[in-house]
């Protein structure tokens, strides 16, 4: 859950921030994204289904996927 949510919400935030020039909107989007990811991570530990190491690993793998998504979308945009 943490891996998918961190990749998904961070990628959506990346796309939305890319479309706007307003710094306040970018800050709010990043804060909301971070809070959602942290709440999901905390809920996994609170419910006892994952350990802290699992959650940290999920966040790191999610960020790795985020980097891949960003590279793929910018490469496709460069090819057009």
């Amino acid at each position: 859950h943490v891996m998918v949510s961190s990749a998904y919400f961070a990628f959506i935030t990346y796309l939305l921030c890319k479309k706007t020039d307003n710094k306040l909107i970018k800050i709010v989007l990043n804060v909301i994204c971070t809070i959602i990811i942290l709440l999901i991570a905390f809920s996994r530990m609170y419910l006892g289904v994952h350990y802290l190491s699992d959650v940290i690993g999920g966040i790191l793998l999610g960020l790795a996927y985020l980097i891949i998504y960003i590279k793929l979308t910018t490469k496709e945009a460069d090819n057009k």
Side-chain angles (χ1 to χ4, degrees):
H1 290 96
V2 177
M3 179 183 71
V4 173
S5 66
S6 62
Y8 176 76
F9 287 112
F11 188 64
I12 295 298
T13 302
Y14 165 77
L15 291 176
L16 292 174
C17 285
K18 194 173 168 184
K19 295 288 183 189
T20 184
D21 292 329
N22 189 335
K23 286 194 175 236
L24 180 62
I25 292 174
K26 289 181 181 184
I27 291 170
V28 170
L29 284 171
N30 284 313
V31 168
I32 290 172
C33 170
T34 303
I35 289 172
I36 290 172
I37 292 169
L38 291 176
L39 285 174
I40 292 170
F42 177 74
S43 74
R44 300 286 85 204
M45 292 184 296
Y46 179 76
L47 294 172
V49 293
H50 292 292
Y51 296 110
L52 178 62
S53 60
D54 299 336
V55 171
I56 292 171
I59 290 173
L60 293 176
L61 281 173
L63 294 176
Y65 278 121
L66 173 65
I67 292 168
I68 292 169
Y69 296 157
I70 291 171
K71 295 271 186 198
L72 289 175
T73 57
T74 54
K75 187 181 286 189
E76 288 177 10
D78 292 342
N79 289 336
K80 288 183 180 182

